[in-house]
Amino acid sequence: MGIIPDLLVANAIPQDERIWVPQAPNVWFRPLCLNITHGYWVNLLRVRKSGILSRHRHPCPVHALVLKGRWYYLEHDWVAEEGSYAFEPPGETHTLYVPDDVEEMITLFNTNGAMIYVDPDGNAVGYDDVFTKIEMCRKHYEAVGLGANYIDQFVR
Ligand code: FE
């Protein structure tokens, strides 16, 4: 009694292209679990074509598992290769970079709390949290014909 429903996502890497939610040019995410009671989300991030993703700060921990391709942070000397796990501690500010020779990168991210987007001086310029992610999904799924409510199955 009182336990929220469990969740199984078949085809976590989807066949249906509409399930990927556009986030920026050549960047998409695929929601897996959007947790509004604990304020975290689990998603796949997909990047095609190399490049820099916005610099951001994490107030809460992040866990990552690289499923395909390779990436690193401009601020660190390690490279997250396919099969790697990475932990990003609270307080960390960094800029994700996908190298030129990577055609497609897919990484599972569990992001807690928020992503705070920052300018080169570290000043906050925007944010994402589980609620902005849900809103992005609702708009996208409505637009592609899956219906805004399509996202509800991933919300806990
Ligand atoms: Fe990060």
Side-chain angles (χ1 to χ4, degrees):
M1 185 75 180
I3 300 176
I4 58 175
D6 54 3
L7 174 61
L8 176 81
V9 180
N11 300 311
I13 300 177
Q15 305 300 313
D16 185 344
E17 184 60 28
R18 297 176 301 170
I19 292 171
W20 287 103
V21 180
Q23 183 170 303
N26 304 316
V27 181
W28 299 260
F29 72 93
R30 190 274 197 254
L32 292 169
C33 181
L34 299 157
N35 196 301
I36 56 174
T37 48
H38 287 265
Y40 69 80
W41 67 99
V42 179
N43 67 190
L44 301 181
L45 182 73
R46 183 179 75 181
V47 180
R48 288 182 174 160
K49 302 217 173 116
S50 63
I52 289 179
L53 274 79
S54 22
R55 188 157 191 257
H56 58 272
R57 177 185 173 93
H58 294 291
C60 300
V62 175
H63 304 273
L65 179 63
V66 186
L67 303 178
K68 189 174 180 192
R70 191 168 80 257
W71 54 268
Y72 58 84
Y73 287 118
L74 298 182
E75 295 82 357
H76 290 287
D77 56 7
W78 50 260
V79 177
E81 305 273 358
E82 195 167 301
S84 298
Y85 160 81
F87 167 68
E88 308 177 10
E92 168 87 0
T93 298
H94 51 214
T95 316
L96 194 150
Y97 183 76
V98 179
D100 294 338
D101 60 335
V102 175
E103 274 181 29
E104 183 178 76
M105 178 280 260
I106 299 177
T107 297
L108 177 103
F109 279 100
N110 170 15
T111 306
N112 294 278
M115 303 256 295
I116 301 168
Y117 301 109
V118 298
D119 68 14
D121 297 321
N123 300 308
V125 293
Y127 72 94
D128 269 320
D129 61 14
V130 67
F131 301 102
T132 66
K133 301 302 273 193
I134 289 171
E135 199 47 41
M136 270 187 262
C137 292
R138 293 185 71 79
K139 284 192 179 130
H140 171 71
Y141 291 144
E142 181 71 34
V144 297
L146 290 170
N149 292 345
Y150 183 81
I151 192 58
D152 294 349
Q153 63 189 298
F154 306 110
V155 176
R156 288 295 182 273

